[in-house]
Amino acid sequence: MNPISLLFLALAMSTDAFAAALGKGASLHKPRFLEALRTGLIFGAIETITPVIGWGIGQVAARFAESWDHWIAFTLLLVLGLHMIYNGIKHDDDEEQEKPGQHSFWILAVTAFATSIDALAVGVGLAFVDVNIVVAALAIGLATTVMVTIGVMLGRVLGTMVGKRAEIIGGIVLIVVGATILYEHLSAAA
């Protein structure tokens, strides 16, 4: 795989994580750069690992992974998105100060895993082409770290502009990302 193709692959794999990061940043109370970087590193680490796992699965059973990966991603993103929407609706106007300063590691890890299911599937596909999986995984992880860090900081601006509805918007974004993943896989199979 040439460097330009690898760059586009890495950027493509990080776009859904970027969208999720916008929502995560919007749902925090004035996230600082270190929180954005922490979120980026969690997403980046998971996004680095999943193509390697997918590559390993691809070495063994490509058809099995391709048949269910999009359903897992859709379900996880749907549940997380609905949870964010619920939290956004139940908050009162004066609860802006009660937004968390950071998300728990586990919430970030589950969101990162949900957005990295496509990287797992890409890893399966990479098992059938001549590519250095370590270089590809590191490129995907680095791009994701950068994109998510930027996404959280942009989400901070979105959160300030939109107020308490930011969490609802973030939830909708997660659901749209999940639905897009599902749609792309189902339409490709048709």
Side-chain angles (χ1 to χ4, degrees), residues 6 9-10 44-45 47-52 126 132-146:
L6 185 58
L9 173 68
E47 197 88 28
T48 299
I49 294 167
T50 52
V52 175
L126 292 177
N132 182 331
I133 190 62
V134 173
V135 172
L138 289 173
I140 292 168
L142 179 62
T144 301
T145 299
V146 171

Side-chain angles (χ1 to χ4, degrees), residues 17-131:
F18 174 76
L22 285 171
K24 292 297 179 190
S27 67
L28 291 175
H29 177 70
K30 297 181 181 176
R32 299 192 186 281
F33 177 74
L34 287 178
E35 176 58 20
L37 182 59
R38 173 184 168 264
T39 303
L41 289 170
I42 292 169
F43 272 72
I46 291 172
E47 197 88 28
T48 299
I49 294 167
T50 52
V52 175
I53 292 169
W55 183 81
I57 291 170
Q59 297 292 316
V60 178
R63 289 282 178 212
F64 178 71
E66 289 178 298
S67 66
W68 52 267
D69 65 343
H70 51 284
W71 286 106
I72 292 173
F74 172 71
T75 302
L76 288 171
L77 290 170
L78 176 67
V79 169
L80 288 167
L82 289 173
H83 179 70
M84 286 179 72
I85 291 169
Y86 171 76
N87 285 337
I89 290 171
K90 77 175 183 135
H91 288 152
D92 294 327
D93 285 2
D94 59 354
E95 287 189 3
E96 180 69 22
Q97 296 85 348
E98 294 185 31
K99 280 182 167 182
Q102 71 178 29
H103 291 291
S104 76
F105 170 81
W106 293 110
I107 292 291
L108 293 176
V110 168
T111 306
F113 178 73
T115 62
S116 70
I117 292 291
D118 58 343
L120 181 108
V122 165
V124 170
L126 292 177
F128 301 102
V129 297
D130 183 29
V131 65

